[in-house]
Amino acid sequence: MQAPCPLGQYREASGYCVPVWVAVWDYSTHFFSNVSYDTWQSGQAEEGSAGRSPGDETNYALSVASETASFVANRPYWSDTCQKTLADIGISVADLPSGLTADPISRLQLAAGSVVFLDGTTSRAPLGDLYTNSAVPGLAALVPLQTVADVFAGSPGTRAMTELGGNRIWIRPSYFNQIGSGWAAAVVMHELVHNIIGLTDDDLARNLGITLVNGSRDITVRLLTDCLN
Amino acid sequence: MVRMVLLLLGASVSLLSQVPLDEAGKEGVLQVLIVDSFGKPLQGTFAVSVREVVNGVPGKEVRIAPKVTLGYGTYTLTVRGSPAYPVDKKITIDRRYQLVVVPLFLAPIESPWEGNTVRGRLPAGSRDRRCTYVRLLSALAETEYAEAAAMESGDFVFQNIKPGRYILVTLGDVGICDVVATDVLPKHEQELTLP
Ligand SMILES: [Zn+2]
């Protein structure tokens, strides 16, 4: 197995590690600008979430997530590369009840229009609820008897969780208040993919032909690279 | 319980045997039985596929039904069913009817996600005999196992264990001290009781 790329880099198909460029969405100009991962990280550290009460922090983060979903739902231009990546990841062309046919990006945008964001750190929803719409529901019986909040508390690296085949996304507010808008869009897109096709990270990675070295984050980096740059 | 495990492992060993050359052109029925990590048959929507391996090189992936007729030969069988980890298994079709049991382990939606923590303590007799090397082996999948060294007190801990049926073995210079069948339940933490 190849050694993982340093933080802020990803492995291209050529096998070389190259820097990740982070697309930062400017809400005043409505354009992305690309900055290096290091620049973006140092910007986040300065920005932080200082001065907000926990309640404000949650509300702010939920509004950031909703605005991000709204951006995904309404963005008019998506590249062919992105369309192909979403198809590779498992979002097929589908017939809608209206009689129209939706391509992968349209399905992503439809999902973005109906998503509901919740605070994962306080949610009493049973973890098993996130699995009930999956392709093999019997496996939900093997999910630990924990709440979503238990998982967020026990796994600090979890920044967002999604129900398979539903429309709910649980977020970690402190994380959403720190990340840039381009990265937030990639995280939301990642979670929407779980909503739409009901597959776990291991299945998504396999569909993309990648090995998860940094976990979930590697899928988000791929979406950022192919769809938001 | 242990007998069932040995039978399953025996079945998978015979599947790996080579196809004699004079059996080229023959066909056999493959039946894939998909179970959970406790051995309970699963219902749902699965993606089952094979890739024929010729001269060590896997060919094109072909979707199959859980019961299918295949030519004699070696294949990589892949079973996927969300929310489980995808499973790849090398099989050889060399009989008219073959059954392959594929256990699926629950996968987290977001990766990585820590699984169960399993704690236990060596029986006093095993500790005295220095059987301090502990292995936790899945009863159904040879790829799922964990190893730990017990502390001076006899306490040991396994982390990130997927729920399922396991065999716990304690070992030392004297050989095997304990063999215990146990279930790792879908809880976050649990205590194993050894006799
Ligand atoms: Zn994910």
Side-chain angles (χ1 to χ4, degrees):
Chain A
M1 185 187 290
Q2 287 175 309
C5 293
L7 195 64
Q9 297 189 15
Y10 76 104
R11 194 175 297 283
E12 277 194 329
S14 63
Y16 291 103
C17 292
V18 295
V20 169
W21 289 91
V22 179
V24 177
W25 179 251
D26 186 327
Y27 282 100
S28 55
T29 62
H30 290 265
F31 282 103
F32 276 113
S33 58
N34 289 337
V35 297
S36 76
Y37 182 85
D38 289 341
T39 307
W40 167 75
Q41 271 292 40
S42 57
Q44 300 316 304
E46 283 169 24
E47 212 172 282
S49 57
R52 279 194 284 269
S53 71
D56 287 347
E57 181 176 83
T58 301
N59 290 332
Y60 183 76
L62 291 171
S63 70
V64 167
S66 293
E67 279 179 36
T68 306
S70 176
F71 157 71
V72 172
N74 297 307
R75 187 188 188 203
Y77 170 76
W78 298 85
S79 66
D80 291 344
T81 305
C82 181
Q83 186 82 273
K84 182 179 181 313
T85 297
L86 294 179
D88 288 347
I89 211 168
I91 304 179
S92 55
V93 174
D95 293 328
L96 303 177
S98 60
L100 297 173
T101 298
D103 61 15
I105 282 172
S106 303
R107 290 185 68 192
L108 182 86
Q109 291 191 291
L110 285 168
S114 64
V115 65
V116 174
F117 291 98
L118 300 154
D119 179 358
T121 62
T122 58
S123 172
R124 307 309 300 165
L127 184 60
D129 280 11
L130 280 64
Y131 290 82
T132 47
N133 295 327
S134 53
V136 188
L139 285 168
L142 305 185
V143 176
L145 299 173
Q146 293 179 299
T147 64
V148 170
D150 291 335
V151 177
F152 273 80
S155 179
T158 299
R159 275 74 186 259
M161 281 183 73
T162 306
E163 66 180 328
L164 300 175
N167 72 336
R168 291 179 294 176
I169 296 176
W170 287 262
I171 63 166
R172 186 183 293 280
S174 59
Y175 180 71
F176 264 75
N177 287 342
Q178 286 182 24
I179 57 177
S181 47
W183 182 251
V187 171
V188 167
M189 286 174 64
H190 172 148
E191 301 307 323
L192 289 171
V193 172
H194 289 302
N195 278 157
I196 298 166
I197 52 176
L199 298 182
T200 62
D201 274 354
D202 280 84
D203 274 327
L204 300 184
R206 192 176 175 116
N207 287 351
L208 288 172
I210 60 174
T211 303
L212 295 179
V213 177
N214 301 299
S216 189
R217 190 177 175 284
D218 292 345
I219 296 168
T220 308
V221 167
R222 180 66 180 270
L223 291 169
L224 177 76
T225 308
D226 290 356
C227 294
L228 297 163
N229 269 336
Chain B
M1 166 65 216
V2 172
R3 182 178 298 165
M4 181 193 82
V5 171
L6 294 176
L7 284 173
L8 288 174
L9 291 177
S12 63
V13 167
S14 70
L15 286 173
L16 292 173
S17 60
Q18 292 300 305
V19 179
L21 287 174
D22 60 357
E23 291 188 337
K26 287 188 178 177
E27 291 185 329
V29 174
L30 170 70
Q31 175 105 50
V32 183
L33 174 61
I34 302 167
V35 299
D36 70 14
S37 48
F38 290 88
K40 185 179 166 194
L42 284 168
Q43 305 294 322
T45 308
F46 303 98
V48 185
S49 60
V50 287
R51 300 173 79 182
E52 186 170 13
V53 181
V54 178
N55 298 325
V57 181
K60 190 169 177 283
E61 186 167 10
V62 181
R63 281 287 287 268
I64 59 168
K67 186 176 179 183
V68 68
T69 301
L70 294 171
Y72 276 24
T74 304
Y75 297 84
T76 300
L77 170 73
T78 300
V79 176
R80 300 175 66 180
S82 185
Y85 289 99
V87 174
D88 294 310
K89 201 175 175 78
K90 191 161 265 186
I91 60 168
T92 298
I93 304 294
D94 58 359
R95 275 173 281 164
R96 287 182 60 193
Y97 185 86
Q98 288 178 225
L99 175 69
V100 175
V101 179
V102 177
L104 294 185
F105 286 76
L106 177 75
I109 297 170
E110 298 303 341
S111 178
W113 170 50
E114 296 82 21
N116 288 14
T117 299
V118 177
R119 298 173 196 282
R121 176 175 282 198
L122 296 175
S126 307
R127 198 176 64 225
D128 294 345
R129 294 167 67 198
R130 308 292 304 155
C131 263
T132 53
Y133 182 63
V134 193
R135 294 195 99 194
L136 190 62
L137 309 152
S138 164
L140 295 158
E142 53 266 52
T143 49
E144 285 299 324
Y145 63 91
E147 298 167 338
M151 291 181 283
E152 206 54 42
S153 60
D155 292 305
F156 58 84
V157 59
F158 294 107
Q159 284 178 322
N160 212 9
I161 303 299
K162 297 163 189 161
R165 189 146 293 165
Y166 288 84
I167 299 167
L168 185 131
V169 180
T170 68
L171 297 156
D173 290 342
V174 294
I176 293 175
C177 285
D178 306 279
V179 180
V180 182
T182 186
D183 284 348
V184 172
L185 301 171
K187 291 186 211 165
H188 192 55
E189 289 206 10
Q190 78 180 71
E191 200 86 26
L192 281 184
T193 309
L194 278 90

